């Protein structure tokens, strides 16, 4: 199913590890962009469900587009929602945008290679998918879920620790 949020689980674990060098918004945008092609196939019935966008070569191209568009879309979202979240973040550095987009597109192809029989992640060099069924679908989903939960907890602990360090009353 295109646009599944399950890919965000590992991203939530990467976020506290890479701290200010990773954007969840650009990563999430990349997940959407990479799944536009399967969405088109589902809507029209034309083409291969997991085609060129679900190859490592396609992922490189998707990452470049997603980094550029995701940087500007995320900055616009920060500006529009600033009265709600009161964040000091307003600019995403280019390095962060590209790192997040590349992690997003490459991990998307990797994770989908484990579960989708129609994928050829190394196309046009090879049509072999050596990752198919390397673990069960249930295990893959649990990995994504638990990595998201662990990442959320780590992120919360880091935020709590930083707040506690600044507030001498705590």
């Amino acid at each position: 199913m295109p646009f599944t949020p399950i890919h965000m689980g590992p991203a939530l674990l990467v976020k506290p590890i890479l701290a200010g060098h990773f954007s969840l918004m650009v990563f999430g945008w990349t997940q959407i962009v990479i799944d536009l092609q399967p969405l088109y196939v589902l809507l029209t019935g034309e083409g291969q469900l997991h085609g060129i966008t679900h190859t490592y070569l396609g992922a490189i191209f998707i990452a470049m587009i997603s980094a550029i568009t995701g940087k500007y879309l995320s900055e616009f979202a920060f500006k529009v929602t600033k009265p709600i979240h009161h964040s000091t973040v307003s600019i995403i550095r280019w390095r962060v945008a590209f790192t997040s987009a590349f992690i997003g597109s490459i991990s998307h192809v990797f994770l989908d290679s484990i579960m989708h029989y129609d994928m050829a992640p190394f196309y046009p060099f090879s049509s072999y998918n050596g990752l198919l069924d390397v673990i069960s679908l249930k295990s893959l989903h649990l990995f994504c879920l638990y990595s998201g939960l662990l990442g959320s907890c780590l992120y919360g602990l880091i935020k709590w620790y930083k707040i506690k360090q600044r507030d001498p009353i705590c």
Side-chain angles (χ1 to χ4, degrees), residues 15-89:
K15 177 68 175 175
I17 293 169
L18 293 183
H21 304 286
F22 184 76
S23 168
L24 277 175
M25 291 180 71
V26 173
F27 180 97
W29 173 245
T30 305
Q31 303 311 304
I32 292 169
V33 173
I34 206 167
D35 274 341
L36 288 175
Q37 186 257 332
L39 177 64
Y40 174 81
V41 173
L42 287 173
L43 293 174
T44 65
E46 297 176 18
Q48 182 182 353
L49 188 60
H50 294 96
I52 194 72
T53 63
H54 282 69
T55 66
Y56 289 111
L57 219 55
I60 292 168
F61 180 72
I62 295 289
M64 290 188 287
I65 290 171
S66 297
I68 294 166
T69 58
K71 173 186 170 25
Y72 292 117
L73 286 171
S74 298
E75 289 174 351
F76 177 74
F78 285 139
K79 185 177 182 178
V80 169
T81 61
K82 189 172 181 106
I84 298 168
H85 62 74
H86 306 291
S87 175
T88 58
V89 176

Side-chain angles (χ1 to χ4, degrees), residues 117-139:
Y117 71 92
D118 65 332
M119 284 194 53
F122 294 102
Y123 180 84
F125 309 107
S126 173
S127 59
Y128 178 68
N129 180 0
L131 289 176
L132 185 62
D133 295 327
V134 73
I135 61 171
S136 71
L137 183 59
K138 180 180 178 181
S139 295

Side-chain angles (χ1 to χ4, degrees), residues 71 116 127 136 142 165 169:
K71 173 186 170 25
H116 294 297
S127 59
S136 71
L142 287 174
Q165 292 298 331
I169 297 172

